[in-house]
Amino acid sequence: MSTPIETINQAARLVVKIGSSLLLQNDTLNRDWLAAMAQDLAKLSKDGKKLIVVSSGAVSLGCAALGLKRNQLTLEESQAAAATGQIELAQGWQAALAEQGLAAAQILLTAEDTEQRRRYLNARQTLTTLMAHGAVPVINENDTVATQELRYGDNDRLAARVAAMVSADCLVLLSDIDGLYDADPTQNENANFIDKVPHIDAKIEAMAGGTGSSHGSGGMVTKLQAAQIAQRAGCHMVLASGRAMTPLSVLAEGARATLFEAHDNPHSARAAWIAGGLQPSGSLHLDAGAISALYAGKSLLPVGLTSVAGHFERGDCVALMAADGKEIGRGLSAYASTEAQRMIGLSSDAMENELGYRGRAEMVHRDDMVLHGKSELSKKGESNE
Ligand code: GLU
């Protein structure tokens, strides 16, 4: 049985979510903490881990800049505050990560970006490319355009969706509490610490109270929701205190944290979703060369297509068919059926001429594909072959 720090050490892809209360001190950005946190991240990066940061703090920083009170905001005011604070937040991260030799990349997401397949695929591809280049994406919700009904409103769930989207092995939620207790530890000194949660059931849910701190929108309820999203996506979640200057090093030194264990691994969870969770909207028929390339772990290129059937959009699930009419697998198409039709049998160069723009080289990326009879998705692809 792994401990939280062992789980972090074993992860190849990690998402670290940082709550507003950690980033702010007396309404200003706590640059010393940020610098120390960046040191922790740099250590993980040197160990070869791919990292994503989900950082809150824009609304709180913006409130300070605009003279607004965080707990009395209208939606418009919180959006205005986010727009103001996000600049400072991004700049703070950029400076702190640069100090450690790491490039930062700002990504602002809405709920739709993580839920609509087309946008999801774009976001996933960009994040994967950034990580492959050693950059650290720093994500926040795009508060200025997220409408009331559609916004996450809390970065706990956003971080869990991001972790699922990039097939991360572990999500670390750093906040002002060191884990889950069976009662609110600020109210009840007999509250017991829970170090491991394999499944979230009614008993665990009953342990979560309302929101705790004056900054941020989280609280234990959204943390449990995040854990559930992560667990189902095959991603472990560690809930830990971020109060110390280098919170991950402090964990390594033995600080306690709650581990929400993944129910699966990210690859099989994603494979199960593609293979069984989605109804194919069309099919791609492949030649023998393409099929052996797929079994060798390669992506599907248009040159291997013999025909296209059905009507689908980019990001939709399609069946992959052999010449004898047998379905050999399923995948998410990088092109809509109208484009796929025009690309049948084309080489990558010819494809660009035909489309009039340089699109993705793959018709179905190997990360977005599952072959029947192969239990898992092919290894997480660093390459785009
Ligand atoms: N997106 C919000 C911000 O940057 C944070 C939401 C949350 O506190 O979880 O301020």
Side-chain angles (χ1 to χ4, degrees):
M1 275 290 142
S2 297
T3 61
I5 191 65
E6 283 163 357
T7 308
I8 293 172
N9 288 339
Q10 284 156 12
R13 279 187 186 180
L14 264 175
V15 177
V16 181
K17 183 261 168 178
I18 292 160
S20 301
S21 58
L22 302 174
L23 281 160
L24 273 98
Q25 197 176 38
N26 304 327
D27 287 342
T28 56
L29 190 58
N30 187 346
R31 288 181 191 269
D32 292 341
W33 186 89
L34 201 52
M37 183 71 228
Q39 277 174 21
D40 257 2
L41 293 171
K43 266 191 222 153
L44 295 175
S45 168
K46 283 201 189 85
D47 285 349
K49 300 191 188 310
K50 306 290 184 212
L51 301 173
I52 292 180
V53 169
V54 175
S55 175
S56 305
V59 175
S60 295
L61 286 171
C63 281
L66 299 177
L68 296 165
K69 285 210 165 53
R70 166 95 211 208
N71 50 7
Q72 297 171 2
L73 296 177
T74 62
L75 176 64
E76 293 76 10
E77 284 170 341
S78 75
Q79 291 179 314
T84 313
Q86 183 61 34
I87 296 182
E88 192 180 348
L89 186 62
Q91 190 277 330
W93 275 109
Q94 186 189 38
L97 289 169
E99 194 65 31
Q100 301 300 325
L102 293 169
Q106 175 182 257
I107 309 250
L108 299 178
L109 294 175
T110 61
E112 284 167 307
D113 297 326
T114 61
E115 270 148 29
Q116 282 184 5
R117 272 205 295 283
R118 285 181 64 190
R119 294 166 73 153
Y120 165 105
L121 279 186
N122 280 333
R124 177 181 157 92
Q125 193 67 41
T126 307
L127 288 167
T128 309
T129 307
L130 284 167
M131 288 188 285
H133 286 82
V136 180
V138 178
I139 300 181
N140 198 352
E141 183 160 18
N142 196 348
D143 287 311
T144 51
V145 297
T147 51
Q148 185 81 298
E149 327 79 73
L150 291 177
R151 66 206 287 263
Y152 281 110
D154 67 89
N155 276 357
D156 297 326
R157 287 177 305 147
L158 174 68
R161 290 268 181 234
V162 166
M165 181 158 80
V166 300
S167 308
D169 314 278
C170 184
L171 163 66
V172 183
L173 290 192
L174 294 177
S175 80
D176 49 10
I177 188 155
D178 60 355
L180 180 68
Y181 290 78
D182 63 359
D184 183 348
T186 61
Q187 311 286 328
N188 183 343
E189 58 182 29
N190 295 322
N192 294 304
F193 187 79
I194 313 284
D195 57 4
K196 201 156 281 184
V197 182
H199 281 277
I200 294 172
D201 53 20
K203 221 171 107 200
I204 296 285
E205 274 167 2
M207 295 175 186
T211 49
S213 76
S214 57
H215 295 296
S217 331
M220 206 44 85
V221 175
T222 56
K223 292 185 173 47
L224 290 188
Q225 289 169 342
Q228 225 153 14
I229 295 167
Q231 286 179 315
R232 286 195 195 126
C235 176
H236 300 290
M237 188 180 105
V238 172
L239 178 56
S241 167
R243 286 193 170 184
M245 291 295 270
T246 46
L248 301 175
S249 304
V250 168
L251 269 185
E253 285 154 16
R256 66 183 181 187
T258 301
L259 174 63
F260 296 82
E261 291 168 312
H263 296 166
D264 213 331
N265 72 56
H267 311 300
S268 36
R270 192 167 154 79
W273 175 65
I274 293 173
L278 299 168
Q279 193 53 36
S281 323
S283 52
L284 302 176
H285 296 255
L286 320 182
D287 65 19
I291 293 175
S292 32
L294 298 194
Y295 278 106
K298 301 261 192 306
S299 296
L300 173 63
L301 303 179
V303 72
L305 279 182
T306 55
S307 67
V308 172
H311 177 82
F312 50 89
E313 295 299 328
R314 170 170 151 66
D316 280 348
C317 181
V318 289
L320 306 175
M321 314 292 287
D324 61 4
K326 242 176 76 188
E327 181 179 310
I328 62 149
R330 287 187 183 180
L332 308 182
S333 177
Y335 288 92
S337 49
T338 45
E339 288 171 320
Q341 290 283 3
R342 291 161 55 200
M343 286 159 59
I344 293 169
L346 295 188
S347 68
S348 304
D349 288 344
M351 214 170 103
E352 188 173 342
N353 281 339
E354 173 64 31
L355 292 175
Y357 64 89
R358 186 148 172 243
R360 297 192 198 288
E362 314 84 16
M363 191 70 219
V364 178
H365 194 279
R366 65 179 193 174
D367 286 355
D368 299 327
M369 177 191 304
V370 58
L371 299 178
H372 300 322
K374 269 195 151 184
S375 59
E376 285 198 7
L377 285 178
S378 49
K379 246 185 86 231
K380 228 180 322 193
E382 286 81 38
S383 84
N384 269 353
E385 287 189 306

